[in-house]
Amino acid sequence: MSGGLLVAGTTSDAGKSVLTAGICRWLHRQGVKVAPYKAQNMSNNSAVVVGPDGRGGEIGRAQAMQAAACGLAPDLRFNPVLLKPGSDLASQVVLLGEAVDTITAGTFRQLRPRLAETAYAALAELRETYDVVICEGAGSPAEINLRAGDYVNMGLARHANLPTIVVGDIDRGGVFASMFGTVALLDPADQALIAGFVINKFRGDRGLLQPGLDMLRQVTGRPTYGVLPWALDLWLDAEDSLAYGRVLGRPAAPHGTEWLDVAVVRLPRVSNATDVEALATEPGVRVRLTIEPAELAAADLVVLPGSKSTVADLAWLRETGLADAVATHVAAGKPLLGLCGGFQMLGRAIHDPVESRQGSVPGLGLLPIEITFDPRKTVRQSVGTGHGGLPVHGYEIHHGYVSQADPGLPPLLTGDDGVGEGAVLGAVHGTHWHGAFESDGFRRWFLTEAARLAGRSGFRVAPATSFAAARERSLDLLGDLVEEHLDTDALWRLIEAGPPAGLPFVPPGAPPS
């Protein structure tokens, strides 16, 4: 068997990533050898994968999550092309895990044939290895201005003859119009691959929805394979920080008598915002993303997350008054955590001839370190220890490194090579390691220390919270939703047999491509 399916969406954040993961988990439970795939991802939330040559490479965080749903270790082929935006006009290109170029919209057209060739080859290899490959599209297949060079949505579906389902988020409104319009804007050959629809995030009486489903089938000739209900617990491993609301997850009641309030600065070019998800799994920890200085003043712990453009985001901190709010927070003795790019901002100076090319700029001056950017990108998985020898696992993705530090500055972590990583000075903590707080013991120590510094004597960490278990519960919930709310028999027929024959054309359609 060499089955496949493409999950497309009416918009970005319509539910493609979670539906792909849910279908993967459902198939994995049936004993199917299944793998995820996304030809091209645009996201600064990435995961580190060790490639066949032993070197670290990057893929989208969502594809790493989907791999876990399949019971697999992440593979560079699961996301062969990753675009990491550094500004509104330029993105770093990561090809099979390795950063190869920085492009603009104009230069992307020149590079696109090479990217498409690599993506198609990766999919072909996966289909030879696995029984089923569940592919995720990007954005919407009805982005008709981009259709000519598309190799992620209908370009991919047509290349590999993949049946395609379109998922729409009913919580946004206009779901029936967007589903009809998605089909009606495609040319006949593309429409012939659109098998049907899935509605996501429905709240209320299913009976009230049925007339719309019936009419959608009448006007498109295609069924709706199911309606997924709104599920508050599905928030781990977001593909983009914009997928988060202001508060992450649904915080459980505190284990002690007090809450710990965590404010995460939503940087314009935030990278790997998923780091703070681990903090949000702890009972009594309220994690919110914010751009308001007043909210930093009210927080117990402030987090500066990673950034794809450290110098530019540091300038934004100053322009918005957030830098002053951070300084005031630290002056009050309250804890501050900097992660990767956020850690780099805490130093006395940043020397950057690589990413921003602005040379030397002053940092926030909260740690006695200096950061220098190197053209070579550090991409690796990391293992070491934290406070009291607590085991810590993480990963690194950065160009900047600590080029100067005051003697005797304590590290936050120690790698398994015995070299210190990050820094601690009073209430200020920083590290280049992403994912460190997924290590349960280290996270509990850090939150306990943060509560002490913030004066939250009534806060207590729960003794048995497991981030890995929380992620597995989320993946199992996705599998449950697919099994309970989708027509899995019909999905199975699509995967086995391919696009249904005789699907009607929906006018007006685009000119043939």
Side-chain angles (χ1 to χ4, degrees):
M1 179 181 177
S2 182
L5 180 72
L6 174 65
V7 178
T10 56
T11 62
S12 293
D13 196 33
K16 297 185 295 291
S17 295
V18 294
L19 180 56
T20 299
I23 294 173
C24 284
R25 176 58 66 126
W26 161 63
L27 289 169
H28 176 60
R29 287 172 170 175
Q30 310 305 310
V32 177
K33 190 179 179 183
V34 57
Y37 172 86
K38 185 163 184 170
Q40 175 188 294
N41 199 344
M42 179 173 278
S43 175
N44 280 330
N45 281 352
S46 59
V48 171
V49 178
V50 177
D53 58 1
R55 292 187 300 175
E58 295 178 74
I59 65 171
R61 180 88 178 196
Q63 280 64 64
M65 177 266 290
Q66 291 160 358
C70 299
L72 300 173
D75 187 313
L76 296 176
R77 297 172 298 177
F78 294 166
N79 178 205
V81 181
L82 175 62
L83 304 182
K84 304 189 74 175
S87 71
D88 292 341
L89 299 175
S91 294
Q92 185 181 65
V93 179
V94 178
L95 190 61
L96 285 176
E98 182 179 356
V100 297
D101 205 349
T102 297
I103 57 165
T104 63
T107 56
F108 178 69
R109 296 187 186 95
Q110 301 167 13
L111 188 61
R112 190 162 50 198
R114 176 188 173 192
L115 303 182
E117 181 181 357
T118 301
Y120 290 156
L123 177 58
E125 289 182 13
L126 292 175
R127 297 191 78 176
E128 290 177 358
T129 306
Y130 295 93
D131 297 331
V132 174
V133 180
I134 304 299
C135 305
E136 178 187 343
S140 163
E143 291 166 352
I144 52 180
N145 55 313
L146 304 176
R147 177 61 184 90
D150 169 54
Y151 61 92
V152 189
N153 290 304
M154 302 317 297
L156 177 73
R158 202 182 301 185
H159 174 84
N161 194 38
L162 293 171
T164 301
I165 56 175
V166 177
V167 58
D169 180 354
I170 198 169
D171 198 56
R172 294 170 180 257
V175 71
F176 294 115
S178 59
M179 285 179 160
F180 174 82
T182 296
V183 180
L185 284 175
L186 300 177
D187 72 21
D190 287 349
Q191 286 196 23
L193 300 173
I194 302 289
F197 310 99
V198 170
I199 287 182
N200 189 31
K201 296 184 183 177
F202 178 68
R203 298 188 252 199
D205 182 353
R206 169 66 187 268
L208 296 176
L209 191 64
Q210 194 59 46
L213 302 178
D214 294 340
M215 184 174 178
L216 184 64
R217 181 158 195 163
Q218 290 170 13
V219 297
T220 66
R222 291 159 173 84
T224 296
Y225 290 103
V227 177
L228 296 176
W230 176 274
L232 284 173
D233 293 333
L234 296 179
W235 56 275
L236 292 177
D237 294 293
E239 185 169 77
D240 191 285
S241 66
L242 295 178
Y244 297 128
R246 282 177 47 78
V247 177
L248 267 66
R250 186 173 54 181
H255 193 68
T257 60
E258 287 189 285
W259 287 80
L260 189 71
D261 191 66
V262 181
V264 181
V265 178
R266 193 193 287 267
L267 300 169
R269 300 159 189 87
V270 63
S271 177
N272 284 66
T274 48
D275 283 330
V276 295
E277 292 178 352
L279 304 181
T281 60
E282 286 288 345
V285 179
R286 180 178 183 269
V287 180
R288 54 198 164 90
L289 279 76
T290 183
I291 58 171
E292 299 296 334
E295 294 197 2
L296 269 59
D300 299 315
L301 166 66
V302 170
V303 180
L304 292 179
S307 168
K308 185 63 184 68
S309 190
T310 302
V311 170
D313 279 355
L314 177 57
W316 175 83
L317 279 180
R318 291 189 164 112
E319 291 165 3
T320 57
L322 286 161
D324 291 336
V326 168
T328 300
H329 178 88
V330 172
K334 291 185 176 182
L336 173 68
L337 172 64
L339 298 169
C340 200
F343 168 48
Q344 294 168 357
M345 295 177 192
L346 301 181
R348 290 185 293 224
I350 300 173
H351 311 289
D352 179 16
V354 177
E355 194 174 74
S356 69
R357 300 180 183 176
Q358 291 191 28
S360 297
V361 299
L364 295 176
L366 299 174
L367 285 175
I369 62 173
E370 295 188 15
I371 299 292
T372 299
F373 276 62
D374 192 296
R376 294 168 298 178
K377 191 176 189 180
T378 298
V379 182
R380 64 189 176 203
Q381 294 181 340
S382 303
V383 178
T385 56
H387 175 81
L390 292 167
V392 182
H393 296 259
Y395 58 98
E396 298 176 61
I397 308 170
H398 54 91
H399 284 282
Y401 65 96
V402 177
S403 54
Q404 185 176 325
D406 280 6
L409 181 66
L412 179 62
L413 301 163
T414 302
D416 58 3
D417 56 2
V419 177
E421 210 297 311
V424 180
L425 182 64
V428 181
H429 304 73
T431 178
H432 275 119
W433 285 21
H434 296 290
F437 297 99
E438 295 176 17
S439 300
D440 298 327
F442 178 68
R443 181 182 65 255
R444 294 186 192 110
W445 166 80
F446 176 77
L447 289 173
T448 300
E449 177 68 2
R452 182 187 70 79
L453 292 166
R456 294 292 184 189
S457 58
F459 174 80
R460 297 286 185 276
V461 292
T465 303
S466 167
F467 181 80
R471 177 174 285 149
E472 279 299 302
R473 285 195 299 271
S474 185
L475 294 173
D476 281 334
L477 175 57
L478 285 171
D480 292 343
L481 291 174
V482 167
E483 286 192 44
E484 295 170 14
H485 298 280
L486 298 191
D487 185 346
T488 52
D489 289 340
L491 286 181
W492 188 251
R493 288 193 295 271
L494 283 180
I495 291 168
E496 280 194 308
L503 290 169
F505 172 73
V506 179
S513 56

